[in-house]
Each structure stands twice: as C-alpha cells, then as structure tokens.
Amino acid sequence: MKIAIGHFQFKINSKQELTPDEHIKTEVTLDKIIVEGGHPLKGQVNISGAKNAALPILISSLLTEGQNTFTNVPNLQDIKSTLTLLKHLGARVETHGHTVRIDCSNLGNHEAPYDLVRKMRASILVLGPLVAKLQKARVSLPGGCAIGARPINLHLKGLKHLGAAIELKHGYVEASAPNLRGDEIYLDTPTVTGTENLMMAAVMAQGQTILRNAAREPEIMALADVLNQMGAHISGAGTSVIKIKGVKSLHPVSTRIIPDRIETGTFMVAAAMTQGDIEILNCEPGHLSGLINRLRLTGADVTINGNIIRVKGHDLINSVDIKTMPYPGFPTDMQAQFMTLMSVANGLSLISERIFENRFMHVSELKRMGADIRVCGRSAVVQGVPNLSAAPVMASDLRASASLILAGLVAKGKTEVNRIYHLDRGYEAIEDKFRKLGAAIKRVA
Ligand code: EPZ
C-alpha cells in the first residue's frame, strides 16, 4: 500500500485498509524526469484539451440542474482537484477517460475548504457560481504562489458591485447575496479568472452587467460560449467589453473543451529548439498569433493548415525580444519556454515579464545548465550560448517545469528534472508525447 503525505510517498504494509481520503492529503510524489539531449523531434503530436478552459467550464456546471457532459477534458492533476472540490460541494461526478459528467442538482455545501483550495488557486472560480446559485459561498482565500502574490481584489470588487456582501474572516471569503443585480464593473487589470468569476456570477443576476477592461483570452470566449449554450445571454466575450443579460436559470449541456494553446506552444518551441520537424494536431492556430509571430522571427518555419501547425527548426536560432502581455499579446505562460529557446539562440535577447512579479524562477535552474541570463526586476537579458549542459534541476511551477524539460532536450548529457508534480498539474503525459517524437525521456519514481 502506498500513501502520500505532503510531498512524500510511503509504502506501508497495513492490514487495515486506509481509505484514500484518510491519508492521501496531497497526491504528489517525488517522481522525476530524466531527459537526454541531442535528439531532434520528428513526427506528430496530438494536443489535449485546455486546462485553463476546462477549469472554469467544469465549475460552471454549478449553475445548472441536471447532467452536463464535457468531452476532451485533459487528464491533469488540476482537473482531479477541481472534480474533488465539486464533489465536496455535493455534485455527482463521473469520469470516463477524457469525458466528464457532472450533475449539480443537489448541492449541499457552499464551502470550499483551505485543504482543497491550497492545492489549486483556481478553486476561487467557485465563488461566483456559488453566490449566483446558492446566494452564499465560503471559499478559502487562495493565497499566493511561486510566480506572484496573485490577489483576488478585483474578483471581490466585482461581486460587491453585483450586490454581494463580502467579508474576509479567518482566511476565508464569506459572500452572501439574496439576489444579485447587474451593474457596470471596470476591471483595473484584465484578470482572466476575475473575468470568468464575474461572468458566472452575473448570468442569473437581475438586469444587465457590463464588464469593462475584461480579459480577452480564448478561454474566456470558450466559457462564454458554454454559458450561452446553457441559456445565458453573454455578448462581447473576446473583446474588452462583455455584456451579460441576467436570465432566470441555466440548463445542462454536452460540450467539448477547446485545445490547449500553451501545450501547443510548448511543442512548437520544442521543435524549434531541437532542429526538429513536427506536426501539431488538433490545435487552434488562431489562439497563438502572438507566439507564432515571435517564433517565425527566430527563424523557425511555422506553417498552418487548418487545425495543424507544422514547425521546422533550424540550427541557427535568431535572438528575439519578447514582452508578455494580456491576450492577444505574447502569453506569460509561454515566457519560460521561450527563454529556454533564447538561451541557445545566436545573440542577446530581452525578456520582459509584464504580468507576474516573480515569474523568473526557472532562470537559476537554466543557469545551472550553462545558460547566460541576467535578471533585473521584471526583465531578463539572455545571451545565447552554443550548448547547455545536463544537470539535476528543480521545477518550481508549472511552466518553469516545461522550460527545464525543453532545456534537457538539447543539453549535452542526461538532465534530471525534480518535483515534476508541478508539470503534472498542466501537461497530460508529456513524457510519452515527447518520447513518441523521438526524445530520450523517461519518468522515474
Ligand atoms: C490565469 O491566472 C491563468 N490561470 C494563468 O495560468 C495565467 O498565467 C494568467 O491567467 C495570465 O494569463 C488560469 O486560467 C487557471 P490574472 P489568473 O488574474 O486569472 C493581477 C498556468 O500556468 N490581478 O489574469 O490568476 C495579478 O496579480 C497559469 O496555467 C490583480 O491585481 O491571472 C496579475 O498581475 C499560471 N487583482 C494580473 O492581474 C485581481 O483580483 C493577471 O492575473 C486579479 C488579478
């Protein structure tokens, strides 16, 4: 019998069967990935459903009564955490491969406890739907993470505009609203989950809600599309002004999750780094214009054919500057991966991280592999080097983990990436996908 407590996994011989909930506090293990550099990637890879679309869409089922069916749901730790939280709230959940069925007809609980929220910050997305559906919610404050403080002040400001009473007590947000009323809400920054939370809070509010300076990410459009399938009246998603006309109720749907643009981008960079030639299938090129533009400037051949992107890398990689911006700018979730590409480019590049205050955790690990990077505040100057060298490295957050795998694909020797539970939060079977493309990569416990 294996049990995991904290970040450690123990094997025990116990006569008494332990129920999973009793002991499996955190399903993280000390697995690591070993990757040997020098193998150009060739072939085809299928993209999974988008984590950052699936999370709000699965949570939107809280607004309905009856069975929802979601297909192309990625098999990720964050999805498991979301479904555990929904079950805790009283939802009936069934998972069959990449299909998830959720019925929220009998929600018996309006509280998202610290023990669940601390494992996944995006749990805060239950706040809006719970207030809309149950007129109350008690959700643990998500706290910060490796990449930044991650405040939720704009989520709370918007809920207050809609008429919710908000109190912060003992590390929890306590929200109540006998009935929500539409209002005009200006978001000081185009927060992605803030926009999603407020869209879900407003769909059954009395009257119209207008979100100004709303986030424009494809995941916002995907959520609005699903909410409209459920019977909501949302217009303007994908622009910075979203209008929501409140309706009486929403009904369950059967719908498919959009492809993951960040997983797509990660494989595009991998092809460019390894002088490979890969076809990325079942993706949505239209969601990646910011990255495609920059990648072409590095000298990679990027060709688009419907929902297939082909990327051919060349041995000379041009240095290119990037600034991360809200969509449709260059995505912050691709900054670490692009920095790894620049670390073996021919020249100097400037990388400015405009979204999060501490998203350079991968720099120290890349430098251990021989990268030449100097950080000054939210900017990093990268001097390309001819080669990286393999080393044991430590993942710190989801996208930093991916950047270390990419570095290992080109570093001389065998790189050992530790703490890959970060990776498992957002990439489905990434080592299998890389191995099918010719990488020398394996996971070891
Ligand atoms: C979403 O996080 C994504 N997560 C992140 O992806 C992504 O990096 C981020 O958007 C930016 O694109 C999910 O969708 C689950 P924000 P979110 O609110 O919504 C400030 C990944 O790797 N802000 O758009 O938490 C905030 O500090 C993850 O998949 C406030 O000031 O990000 C940040 O500087 C990492 N007050 C900026 O806005 C608020 O109330 C953007 O944050 C909310 C945000």
Side-chain angles (χ1 to χ4, degrees), residues 369-411:
M369 297 178 72
D372 179 354
I373 306 170
R374 272 156 290 168
V375 171
C376 179
R378 287 192 175 188
S379 294
V381 177
V382 184
Q383 171 66 54
V385 295
N387 296 296
L388 295 177
S389 60
V393 289
M394 193 75 77
S396 53
D397 59 86
L398 169 54
R399 306 304 172 181
S401 321
S403 74
L404 298 176
I405 300 277
L406 295 178
L409 289 172
V410 298

Side-chain angles (χ1 to χ4, degrees), residues 51-52 55 121-122 125 147 149-155 189-194 196 217 261 332-333 355-357 359 378 398-399:
K51 168 178 85 82
N52 290 349
L55 298 182
R121 301 188 64 269
L125 282 167
I147 65 177
R150 313 292 294 274
I152 60 163
N153 58 308
L154 299 177
H155 300 233
T189 59
T191 158
V192 173
T193 49
E196 292 165 346
E217 275 70 3
R261 61 192 168 99
T332 175
D333 292 348
I355 305 293
F356 291 113
E357 64 266 32
R359 201 165 198 175
R378 287 192 175 188
L398 169 54
R399 306 304 172 181

Side-chain angles (χ1 to χ4, degrees), residues 1-270:
M1 162 63 123
K2 278 206 284 191
I3 63 165
I5 297 175
H7 291 167
F8 302 96
Q9 183 139 20
F10 298 91
K11 290 187 180 66
I12 57 168
N13 299 316
S14 155
K15 295 225 180 344
Q16 180 211 358
E17 274 310 301
L18 303 171
T19 59
D21 289 348
E22 270 174 18
H23 281 277
I24 306 298
K25 289 284 182 208
T26 316
E27 267 299 319
V28 293
T29 63
L30 282 182
D31 284 4
K32 50 192 163 196
I33 281 186
I34 313 284
V35 49
E36 183 178 21
H39 304 268
L41 301 184
K42 308 260 186 203
Q44 296 183 330
V45 62
N46 270 300
I47 295 302
S48 301
K51 168 178 85 82
N52 290 349
L55 298 182
I57 287 170
L58 294 176
I59 287 171
S60 72
S61 56
L62 289 169
L63 295 162
T64 66
E65 309 239 329
Q67 178 168 281
N68 295 274
T69 300
F70 303 104
T71 58
N72 197 39
V73 178
N75 179 15
L76 303 171
Q77 187 53 47
D78 273 11
I79 297 294
K80 293 187 181 105
S81 301
T82 300
L83 297 179
T84 300
L85 175 55
L86 289 171
K87 282 188 274 191
H88 178 83
L89 296 170
R92 202 158 45 81
V93 175
E94 290 168 29
T95 305
H96 307 282
H98 292 108
T99 297
V100 174
R101 293 192 172 85
I102 304 176
D103 185 330
C104 295
S105 304
N106 301 302
L107 294 179
N109 186 356
H110 66 282
E111 178 168 327
Y114 172 69
D115 193 40
L116 294 179
V117 176
R118 72 184 175 83
K119 282 191 276 188
M120 187 188 67
R121 301 188 64 269
S123 306
I124 195 63
L125 282 167
V126 303
L127 184 61
L130 285 176
V131 175
K133 183 76 177 305
L134 303 180
Q135 291 73 53
K136 60 184 178 182
R138 184 169 187 268
V139 180
S140 170
L141 279 163
C145 75
I147 65 177
R150 313 292 294 274
I152 60 163
N153 58 308
L154 299 177
H155 300 233
L156 304 181
K157 167 187 166 185
L159 284 172
K160 285 178 187 164
H161 269 277
L162 297 176
I166 302 282
E167 283 192 87
L168 301 185
K169 277 186 190 166
H170 310 298
Y172 279 75
V173 177
E174 296 191 0
S176 60
N179 45 46
L180 293 171
R181 301 175 312 281
D183 196 2
E184 184 155 342
I185 301 165
Y186 176 76
L187 295 169
D188 306 62
T189 59
T191 158
V192 173
T193 49
T195 301
E196 292 165 346
N197 231 336
L198 295 173
M199 262 198 320
M200 292 192 279
V203 285
M204 293 190 283
Q206 290 161 5
Q208 175 172 263
T209 295
I210 300 177
L211 300 181
R212 293 196 184 282
N213 196 28
R216 300 168 52 190
E217 275 70 3
E219 293 76 29
I220 304 279
M221 295 164 68
L223 174 62
D225 179 43
V226 170
L227 290 169
N228 283 338
Q229 288 174 43
M230 291 174 168
H233 285 182
I234 300 172
S235 59
T239 75
S240 56
V241 180
I242 299 178
K243 291 182 179 170
I244 303 127
K245 289 198 180 96
V247 295
K248 279 265 173 278
S249 65
L250 298 186
H251 56 75
V253 293
S254 180
T255 191
R256 181 178 174 80
I257 302 296
I258 61 170
D260 193 312
R261 61 192 168 99
I262 304 303
E263 184 191 23
T264 304
T266 303
F267 281 102
M268 291 171 69
V269 169

